[in-house]
C-alpha cells in the first residue's frame, strides 16, 4: 500500500490509493467516501477522453488566454547582475492568476458528473474569484467560503466574487483564514452530497484532488519548458515558485522533475520569522500529520492540534502544503526555503518599479528568493519563476503597511 | 476485544431495550468538571460512553461540538489527558464501555502503537475515528483490532449496498449509523427513513446498530430506539454544558446537575421506546 512511485521517474505518483510515499491518501468522513470515489472514476475517464481534453484546451486558449507569455525580465536581470530571469506570466490569465487553469478543468468535471451547485474555499480570494467566474460561465450557483480575516484584507476580491454572482460566506471559526474556510467547505459538502461539487483550489485534500489539480496546473510548466527551449535553446538551471497549498508551484515544477540538470526551489511564507508561530513554513518548520483529507507536513503542536500560522499574504496563510510537495521534500528533489514578510514586501516594490508589473504578494515571495539567488549565479545561467498572480488585490494591504494615503 | 462492550450489549438485548450512548467532549469545560460529568453518566442512564477527543479542526462537527473542543483545548486538554479521564473513571466503574471519538491527527502524532497500549491500559473499549474510512484501515483499524480494541465504523445514507460490505469489514463492537448527510447537531430526519436504513444494515451484520446525529430529545430517542439497538446523543448534551457555563466559559454551579437532568430525561425516552414499539 505504501509503494513509492517508480524510482526511475519523479512524475509517476501518486499510487492507486493516492499516496506519494507516506503522504497523500484519503482521510475523509465515510459520508464523503462514495463522492470521492465517484470523482476519481470520472476524472480517470475524463483525462483519457479526447473530447474533454479538446474542450479544456479550447477554453484555455479562448477564455483564459493561454499560452501565457514567457517574459525575459531584462531590467531585474541587469539590476541583480547574475542569472537571466524569466517569468512565466500566469498573472496575465483571465481573472489574474493561475487559479483559473484548475477551475476550468474542475467545472467541466462537475458538468460531466451532473452536479448543479459549486462550493469553494478561498484565502486570498484568487481561487474564489476563479471559481465564481467559471460558475458564472457555466451557469452554476456558487458558494465561496472565506475566512473573516481574509474577507477584510482582500476586499476587492470579495466584491468581484459578489459581482460574479457568488455568495461569499465569511467564516469566523479559528483565526478566520484559509484553514477555517476549508473546514467549513467540507461541512457544506458533507451536508449537500447529492448536488454539490467541491472545487478545491490547491493541490491538496483527499485523493484525487492533489493529482487532479496538479494535472490541470501542469499546463504552466509544459508551456514554460517549450518557451524556454525556444528562447534559449536549453532548459533553465533553476525553477522557482511560491508555495502555500502549492498548486502554482507543482504546476510549474512537475514537467521539470525528471530533468536532472534543473534545480527546483519552493518558497514558503516565513511570515515574521520561524522562531515563533507567526509563519506558514509547513515544510521548513512543520511535522507530518493528517488534515483536510491528506497526510502532509503541517504546523501543529505536540498534541497534534493544528496551529494557525501567519503570512502577509492571504494565499500562503495555510498551515499545510500539498502532499506531493511533502514527498518531493523528503526525497530531496525539491528544496523548500522560507521568505519573510518584509523580504516579500521589498520584492513586491522592486518588481513594480523595475518591470512595471505589480505582482501579488504570493509570487512576491518567489521574487524575493530570485533576488537572493540570481546575483550568486553566472550570467549564462537561467532562472524560470512562476509569476502566479497579479497584485491589484493586494494594493490596499501594501498601501496600509507603507503608510500611503488611499 | 475488551469484554465490556459485548457484555453490555448482550445484557441490554436480554432486557429487551436499546442502549443509550452518550457523547461529551473530554475536558469540556475543564478536566475536573468533565470527569464529574463522566462519573455521573451511568447512574443517569447512560449505557455506553463516547468520550470526545478535542481537535482543532473538527470537519464533521457542527457548532456545538466545535465550540466544546475549543473550550477543552483552551483549558489545556490533550489526548494524554483524555486518556487520564478514562483512567480516573475506571476507578469507580469497570463495566460501562468507553469509546473514544474524534479525529486521527492527534492519535497519529501521539504514535499509533503507544496510543493503543495507553488506551487499553486506561480502560478504553473502542475507537470511532471520523476521518479514517475503510480505505485507510492500515493506519489504525487493523492495529487496533490486533490489540483487542474495537473499531467502530460510521455508516451513512451515502453508504450503498455495495459499500456497506466494505464498511462492515473490520468493524467491531457496534455500527454507528449516521442518520443524515451532514454535521453533528443538525435536524433529525424522518424516523421511518432511519428504521429502513437500520433494517438494511442488519441484513448484513449481527453487530448492534446505534443511531446518532440529530437526536436531541426524549421524544427523538424513543422514536429511534424503537428500531435501533442503540441511540446516540451528543450535541444536545454538549449544548446543555455550554448553556450552564459562566460568561467567562467556566463551569457554572449547575453544570453537572443540568447534564444529569438532561441525560436522565432522554434515558427515559430510550427506555420507553420498546414499550411503544410493542404496543
Amino acid at each position: 500500500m505504501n509503494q513509492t512511485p517508480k524510482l526511475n521517474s519523479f512524475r509517476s505518483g501518486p499510487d492507486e490509493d493516492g499516496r506519494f510515499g507516506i503522504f497523500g491518501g484519503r482521510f475523509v468522513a465515510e459520508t464523503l467516501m462514495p463522492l470521492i470515489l465517484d470523482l476519481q472514476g470520472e476524472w480517470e475517464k475524463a483525462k483519457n477522453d479526447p473530447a474533454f481534453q479538446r474542450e479544456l484546451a479550447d477554453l484555455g486558449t479562448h477564455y483564459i488566454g493561454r499560452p501565457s507569455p514567457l517574459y525575459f525580465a531584462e531590467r531585474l536581470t541587469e539590476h541583480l547582475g547574475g542569472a537571466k530571469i524569466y517569468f512565466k506570466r500566469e498573472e496575465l490569465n483571465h481573472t489574474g492568476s493561475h487559479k483559473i487553469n484548475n477551475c476550468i478543468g474542475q467545472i467541466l468535471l462537475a458538468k460531466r458528473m451532473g452536479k448543479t451547485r459549486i462550493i469553494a474555499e478561498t484565502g486570498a480570494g484568487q481561487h474564489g474569484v476563479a471559481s465564481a467566474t467559471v460558475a458564472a460561465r457555466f451557469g452554476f450557483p456558487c458558494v465561496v467560503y472565506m475566512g473573516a480575516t481574509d474577507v477584510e484584507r482582500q476586499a476587492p476580491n470579495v466584491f468581484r466574487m459578489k459581482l460574479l454572482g457568488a455568495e461569499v460566506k465569511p467564516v469566523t471559526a479559528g483565526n478566520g483564514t484559509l484553514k477555517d474556510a476549508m473546514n467549513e467547505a467540507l461541512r457544506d459538502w458533507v451536508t449537500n452530497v447529492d448536488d454539490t461539487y467541491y472545487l478545491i483550489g490547491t493541490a491538496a485534500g483527499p485523493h484525487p484532488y492533489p493529482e487532479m489539480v496538479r494535472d490541470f496546473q501542469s499546463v504552466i510548466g509544459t508551456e514554460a519548458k517549450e518557451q524556454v527551449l525556444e528562447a534559449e535553446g536549453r532548459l533553465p538551471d533553476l525553477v522557482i515558485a511560491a508555495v502555500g497549498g502549492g498548486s502554482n508551484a507543482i504546476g510549474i515544477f512537475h514537467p521539470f522533475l525528471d530533468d536532472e540538470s534543473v534545480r527546483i526551489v519552493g518558497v514558503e511564507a516565513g511570515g515574521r520569522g520561524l522562531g515563533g508561530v507567526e509563519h506558514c513554513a509547513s515544510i521548513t518548520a512543520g511535522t507530518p500529520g493528517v488534515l483536510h483529507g491528506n497526510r502532509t507536513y503541517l504546523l501543529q503542536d505536540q498534541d497534534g492540534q493544528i496551529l494557525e500560522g501567519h503570512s502577509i499574504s492571504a494565499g500562503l496563510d495555510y498551515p499545510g502544503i500539498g502532499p506531493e510537495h511533502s514527498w518531493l521534500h523528503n526525497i530531496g528533489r525539491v528544496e523548500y526555503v522560507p521568505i519573510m514578510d518584509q523580504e516579500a514586501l521589498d520584492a513586491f516594490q522592486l518588481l513594480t518599479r523595475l518591470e512595471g508589473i505589480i505582482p501579488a504578494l504570493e509570487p512576491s515571495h518567489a521574487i524575493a528568493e530570485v533576488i537572493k539567488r540570481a546575483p550568486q549565479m553566472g550570467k549564462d545561467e537561467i532562472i524560470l519563476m512562476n509569476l502566479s498572480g497579479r497584485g491589484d488585490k493586494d494594493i490596499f494591504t501594501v498601501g496600509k503597511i507603507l503608510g500611503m494615503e488611499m | 476485544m475488551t469484554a465490556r462492550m459485548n457484555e453490555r450489549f448482550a445484557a441490554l438485548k436480554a432486557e429487551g431495550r436499546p442502549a443509550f450512548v452518550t457523547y461529551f467532549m473530554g475536558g469540556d469545560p475543564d478536566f475536573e468538571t468533565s470527569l464529574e460529568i463522566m462519573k455521573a453518566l451511568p447512574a443517569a442512564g447512560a449505557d455506553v460512553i463516547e468520550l470526545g477527543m478535542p481537535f482543532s479542526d473538527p470537519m464533521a462537527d457542527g457548532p456545538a461540538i466545535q465550540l466544546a473542543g475549543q473550550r477543552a483545548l483552551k483549558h489545556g486538554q490533550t489526548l494524554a489527558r483524555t486518556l487520564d479521564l478514562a483512567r480516573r473513571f475506571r476507578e469507580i466503574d469497570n463495566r460501562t464501555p468507553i469509546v473514544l471519538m474524534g479525529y486521527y491527527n492527534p492519535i497519529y502524532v501521539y504514535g499509533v502503537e503507544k496510543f493503543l497500549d495507553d488506551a487499553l491500559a486506561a480502560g478504553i473499549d473502542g475507537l470511532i475515528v471520523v476521518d479514517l474510512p475503510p480505505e485507510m484501515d492500515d493506519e489504525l483499524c487493523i492495529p487496533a483490532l490486533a490489540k483487542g480494541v474495537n473499531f467502530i465504523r460510521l455508516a451513512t445514507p451515502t453508504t450503498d449496498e455495495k459499500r456497506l460490505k466494505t464498511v462492515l469489514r473490520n468493524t467491531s463492537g457496534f455500527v454507528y449509523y449516521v442518520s443524515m448527510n451532514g454535521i453533528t447537531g443538525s435536524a433529525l430526519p424522518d424516523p421511518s427513513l432511519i428504521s429502513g436504513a437500520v433494517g438494511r444494515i442488519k441484513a448484513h451484520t449481527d453487530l448492534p446498530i446505534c443511531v446518532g446525529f440529530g437526536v436531541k430529545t426524549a421524544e427523538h430517542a424513543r422514536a429511534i430506539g424503537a428500531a435501533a439497538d442503540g441511540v446516540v446523543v451528543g450535541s444536545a448534551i454538549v449544548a446543555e454544558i455550554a448553556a450552564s457555563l459562566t460568561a467567562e466559559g467556566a463551569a457554572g454551579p449547575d453544570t453537572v446537575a443540568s447534564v444529569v437532568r438532561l441525560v436522565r430525561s432522554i434515558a427515559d425516552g430510550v427506555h420507553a421506546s420498546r414499550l411503544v414499539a410493542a404496543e
Side-chain angles (χ1 to χ4, degrees):
Chain A
M1 201 156 167
N2 285 338
Q3 293 162 331
T4 45
K6 273 180 246 134
L7 287 176
N8 58 3
S9 175
F10 294 112
R11 301 183 59 196
S12 55
D15 69 12
E16 60 183 20
D17 296 313
R19 307 234 189 200
F20 302 90
I22 66 160
F23 301 104
R26 283 181 289 223
F27 297 88
V28 296
E30 175 57 30
T31 313
L32 294 180
M33 249 343 272
L35 280 77
I36 281 167
L37 293 173
D38 272 359
L39 176 61
Q40 192 182 340
E42 199 61 41
W43 164 235
E44 294 296 332
K45 275 189 265 169
K47 86 178 149 180
N48 298 312
D49 177 357
F52 179 85
Q53 293 298 341
R54 258 200 313 278
E55 193 175 5
L56 188 62
D58 185 68
L59 285 161
T61 306
H62 301 288
Y63 193 68
I64 301 178
R66 304 212 69 85
S68 65
L70 181 77
Y71 170 72
F72 172 48
E74 195 177 350
R75 293 196 68 214
L76 183 65
T77 299
E78 273 173 24
H79 177 82
L80 297 174
K84 290 180 84 170
I85 299 156
Y86 282 90
F87 292 141
K88 180 61 172 164
R89 300 284 306 272
E90 288 296 301
E91 101 283 9
L92 292 177
N93 292 341
H94 181 40
T95 73
S97 83
H98 69 290
K99 291 291 187 187
I100 190 83
N101 302 327
N102 166 51
C103 287
I104 284 284
Q106 287 201 51
I107 200 95
L108 291 177
L109 267 181
K111 199 175 78 167
R112 276 175 80 105
M113 296 178 79
K115 301 293 182 184
T116 56
R117 175 176 177 265
I118 301 297
I119 56 170
E121 83 296 332
T122 198
Q126 294 299 87
H127 175 59
V129 167
S131 298
T133 298
V134 298
R137 166 66 182 76
F138 285 87
F140 287 91
C142 177
V143 174
V144 180
Y145 290 93
M146 187 170 186
T149 305
D150 291 340
V151 168
E152 198 177 317
R153 62 178 162 170
Q154 303 289 339
N157 273 345
V158 174
F159 189 54
R160 290 164 81 195
M161 286 184 264
K162 287 181 178 168
L163 283 174
L164 288 160
E167 184 186 348
V168 179
K169 289 198 178 172
V171 178
T172 50
N175 269 7
T177 59
L178 183 53
K179 161 178 97 93
D180 312 299
M182 199 151 182
N183 288 334
E184 211 55 38
L186 283 163
R187 291 183 187 117
D188 180 314
W189 201 24
V190 87
T191 308
N192 300 291
V193 295
D194 294 329
D195 62 349
T196 297
Y197 183 92
Y198 181 16
L199 209 173
I200 294 185
T202 193
H207 180 57
Y209 282 101
E211 175 197 321
M212 187 169 72
V213 175
R214 175 199 74 200
D215 287 356
F216 287 135
Q217 292 294 2
S218 288
V219 67
I220 302 171
T222 305
E223 283 176 9
K225 198 170 183 177
E226 279 177 28
Q227 290 166 320
V228 173
L229 284 171
E230 198 184 310
E232 293 284 344
R234 67 182 190 86
L235 292 172
D237 300 285
L238 179 60
V239 176
I240 297 186
V243 187
S247 71
N248 92 81
I250 202 71
I252 198 164
F253 292 171
H254 199 255
F256 290 100
L257 288 177
D258 286 339
D259 297 309
E260 276 177 43
S261 67
V262 181
R263 274 173 293 143
I264 304 180
V265 173
V267 183
E268 297 195 294
R272 301 195 176 106
L274 302 190
V277 293
E278 289 189 307
H279 62 81
C280 286
S282 319
I283 284 186
T284 320
T287 52
V290 174
L291 179 71
H292 293 155
N294 56 183
R295 176 164 27 227
T296 195
Y297 278 90
L298 298 173
L299 301 179
Q300 55 184 334
D301 68 15
Q302 288 181 328
D303 189 43
Q305 309 297 337
I306 311 301
L307 303 173
E308 294 283 348
H310 157 84
S311 170
I312 188 175
S313 138
L316 303 181
D317 207 340
Y318 180 69
I321 186 168
E324 193 164 10
H325 287 291
S326 291
W327 178 70
L328 289 168
H329 164 73
N330 264 22
I331 60 169
R333 176 62 186 99
V334 177
E335 182 190 351
Y336 293 86
V337 297
I339 282 288
M340 307 305 144
D341 283 352
Q342 188 59 50
E343 295 173 303
L345 207 55
D346 293 343
F348 173 97
Q349 293 175 85
L350 186 71
L351 191 75
T352 304
R353 294 295 174 91
L354 279 179
E355 295 287 351
I357 297 171
I358 301 179
L361 284 171
E362 292 79 18
S364 294
H365 287 72
I367 298 163
E369 187 63 20
V370 168
I371 292 170
K372 283 185 180 174
R373 294 196 183 226
Q376 316 297 324
M377 294 168 68
K379 291 194 173 189
D380 55 342
E381 290 191 279
I382 301 165
I383 298 177
L384 169 65
M385 194 205 92
N386 196 5
L387 189 45
S388 57
R390 67 178 185 225
D392 307 42
K393 69 183 175 61
D394 294 314
I395 56 174
F396 299 101
T397 303
V398 173
K400 208 161 140 190
I401 295 168
L402 298 180
M404 287 178 172
E405 290 282 329
M406 288 282 187
Chain B
M1 296 304 132
T2 61
R4 282 179 291 257
M5 187 88 77
N6 291 345
E7 283 173 10
R8 177 57 50 98
F9 277 103
L12 289 168
K13 194 174 180 182
E15 278 182 51
R17 68 173 181 89
F20 181 24
V21 183
T22 53
Y23 170 96
F24 72 105
M25 180 65 79
D28 172 30
D30 59 73
F31 183 90
E32 291 302 330
T33 308
S34 75
L35 179 59
E36 268 187 73
I37 290 170
M38 191 174 185
K39 285 178 172 172
L41 285 173
D47 300 304
V48 176
I49 292 176
E50 281 183 12
L51 173 56
M53 302 176 280
F55 182 47
S56 53
D57 293 79
M59 292 159 296
D61 284 304
I65 293 180
Q66 288 175 42
L67 291 171
Q70 286 172 23
R71 287 191 297 268
L73 290 173
K74 201 175 143 201
H75 286 99
Q77 190 69 7
T78 60
L79 182 51
R81 286 169 65 84
T82 302
L83 293 176
D84 268 345
L85 268 177
R87 194 175 298 117
R88 297 278 298 279
F89 173 83
R90 283 279 173 253
E91 290 167 3
I92 62 142
D93 183 322
N94 199 29
R95 299 192 62 190
T96 306
I98 305 173
V99 176
L100 287 173
M101 182 165 183
Y103 297 81
Y104 183 42
N105 195 52
I107 296 171
Y108 176 69
V109 169
Y110 192 97
V112 165
E113 292 297 319
K114 179 173 188 297
F115 166 76
L116 289 171
D117 291 339
D118 292 356
L120 273 175
I124 298 299
D125 301 286
L127 305 174
I128 301 175
V129 183
V130 179
D131 52 353
L132 285 178
E135 281 74 3
M136 298 281 115
D137 270 358
D138 287 352
E139 297 283 337
L140 179 64
C141 172
I142 305 287
L145 295 176
K147 291 212 186 230
V149 179
N150 287 293
F151 199 84
I152 293 136
R153 193 102 62 192
L154 305 177
T156 75
T158 61
T159 312
D160 60 16
E161 288 291 315
K162 187 164 145 250
R163 190 154 175 84
L164 196 50
K165 292 196 185 78
T166 310
V167 167
L168 293 173
R169 196 190 316 134
N170 298 332
T171 299
S172 69
F174 61 90
V175 177
Y176 187 142
Y177 180 67
V178 174
S179 68
M180 80 256 167
N181 296 323
I183 51 179
T184 52
S186 308
L188 187 73
D190 182 353
S192 68
L193 288 177
I194 295 171
S195 68
V198 169
R200 193 161 57 85
I201 300 170
K202 277 195 171 295
H204 293 274
T205 182
D206 294 329
L207 289 171
I209 318 292
C210 298
V211 176
F213 278 42
V215 186
K216 291 193 177 76
T217 63
E219 195 52 40
H220 289 156
R222 199 173 62 158
I224 300 293
D229 302 304
V231 180
V232 189
V233 176
S235 293
I237 293 173
V238 168
E240 189 72 20
I241 294 174
S244 75
L245 302 178
T246 66
E248 293 76 37
D254 286 335
T255 296
V256 178
S258 61
V259 169
V260 166
R261 217 161 29 236
L262 176 76
V263 168
R264 198 164 272 148
S265 94
I266 300 176
D268 288 343
V270 175
H271 296 161
S273 57
R274 293 294 165 82
L275 303 175
V276 177
E279 276 168 9

